[in-house]
Amino acid sequence: MKNILVIGATGQIGSELTLELRKRYGDDHVIAGYIPSAMPKGELKASGPSAIADVTDRQSIEVVARQFKIDTIYNLAALLSVVAESRPAMAWKIGIDGLWNVLEVAREYGCAVFTPSSIGSFGETTPHVKTPQDTIQRPRTMYGVTKVTTELLSDYYYTRYGVDTRAVRFPGIISNVTPPGGGTTDYAVDIYYSAVKGEKFVCPLKPGTYMDMMYMPDALNAAISLMEAAPARLKHRNAFNIAAMSFDPEQIYQEIKKHVPNFEMAYEVDPLKQSIADSWPDSLDDTCAREEWDWKPQYDLESMTVDMLEKLRAKLNK
Ligand code: SER
């Protein structure tokens, strides 16, 4: 039986990943790790154990690892790309000093570790269309710098110490539960809230700005499937390209308009977000993930839009 710690359990991905892991492995086997400024609430709090697990405080992670006999850590603590530009030192402290703490605890207690990378680990000099698994990674954002470092440090702990580190490069993740904060891809979540609230959406990115995106159920499935994969099949570890859909603001707008005919959108470009988005790939090639651990997404833009609108309507009209 597995005992899992999710660090960042109240965040955008963690809040849903923790519940999904509890469904699969049993409520008592999945610990929601949080920091005091972001305590678990509602179902997350009620459905299983939680504990303080602050990546910047190694002791706090070690205490949880020992107390709950943790064998797998999903380390989701991070600042997203836009906010990392305004707080680069904090982004490094959480992303890299924090990762170091997690990896050291994992080495001592024999835990497997999942620490996501991102489409943000690529930069201007990366081939932008069907970006290969192994290619140039020279990002100029602090978010990207921490993500490339995450990949390298995770691989280092695997080859040097045998710590079972694995990860994916997440695209923009779209969900109807916990909103993201401070990311470049956030617009693709915000646009659904505007549509359901009957508001005009002001898009911070230009038409023609393509980025990879993914619906949350696929993102959760990717993380869990990779951690379950037979190690002998993995030629790569940190981190796998995964892809589900690629669109620009105009395409997601048109897709939503099919269901909300009088939905309006205007463009007001945010230069920082635009420059970050321009430096990221338009679409990733995820062949290695498909070959090495049978990655396959379920949702495309059409089916995601139907589900997002339905779930958000139910949530916002409560
Ligand atoms: N969603 C992230 C961001 O926009 C990308 O991985 O920062």
Side-chain angles (χ1 to χ4, degrees), residues 55-56 75 77-79 88-103 115-116 143 146-147 149-150 153:
V55 283
T56 64
N75 169 28
L79 295 187
M90 185 54 83
W92 183 271
K93 189 173 173 200
I94 294 171
I96 303 308
D97 296 342
L99 173 64
W100 193 283
N101 288 333
V102 171
L103 290 170
T115 310
Y143 183 68
T146 64
K147 288 302 180 189
T149 311
T150 294
L153 198 58

Side-chain angles (χ1 to χ4, degrees), residues 80-81 118-119 143 170-172 182-186 280:
L80 289 183
S81 55
S118 160
I119 51 172
Y143 183 68
F170 276 134
T184 305
T185 57
D186 293 10
W280 289 357

Side-chain angles (χ1 to χ4, degrees), residues 168-184:
V168 295
R169 295 178 181 134
F170 276 134
I173 295 173
I174 295 164
S175 81
N176 46 62
V177 180
T178 308
T184 305

Side-chain angles (χ1 to χ4, degrees), residues 122-283:
F122 298 111
E124 269 133 52
T125 48
T126 302
H128 273 37
V129 177
K130 285 271 163 210
T131 302
Q133 171 67 36
D134 301 311
T135 185
I136 301 164
Q137 289 181 283
R138 303 288 293 178
R140 295 213 179 115
T141 60
M142 181 45 69
Y143 183 68
V145 169
T146 64
K147 288 302 180 189
V148 176
T149 311
T150 294
E151 295 188 7
L152 294 172
L153 198 58
S154 297
D155 272 345
Y156 180 83
Y157 267 72
Y158 172 65
T159 47
R160 174 86 197 262
Y161 304 117
V163 176
D164 185 1
T165 57
R166 309 174 185 194
V168 295
R169 295 178 181 134
F170 276 134
I173 295 173
I174 295 164
S175 81
N176 46 62
V177 180
T178 308
T184 305
T185 57
D186 293 10
Y187 92 89
V189 177
D190 300 339
I191 191 170
Y192 286 104
Y193 279 84
S194 296
V196 170
K197 287 183 188 157
E199 291 166 2
K200 180 173 176 173
F201 180 63
V202 181
C203 184
L205 299 173
K206 288 194 280 209
T209 309
Y210 282 84
M211 283 185 287
D212 264 309
M213 304 277 180
M214 184 174 291
Y215 200 30
M216 185 63 93
D218 281 328
L220 302 181
N221 209 28
I224 299 170
S225 309
L226 173 58
M227 293 312 279
E228 288 284 350
R233 286 182 65 194
L234 301 181
K235 294 192 197 94
H236 296 83
R237 282 188 163 259
N238 301 281
F240 283 92
N241 282 2
I242 51 170
M245 62 188 95
S246 164
F247 55 76
D248 82 326
E250 204 54 37
Q251 284 175 332
I252 185 172
Y253 169 65
Q254 291 302 341
E255 194 57 42
I256 295 173
K257 226 171 132 62
K258 286 184 193 164
H259 306 272
V260 188
N262 38 22
F263 182 39
E264 286 179 68
M265 177 166 87
Y267 289 97
E268 215 170 275
V269 171
D270 176 315
L272 175 60
K273 287 184 183 169
Q274 187 66 52
S275 73
I276 295 175
D278 287 342
S279 76
W280 289 357
D282 295 356
S283 63

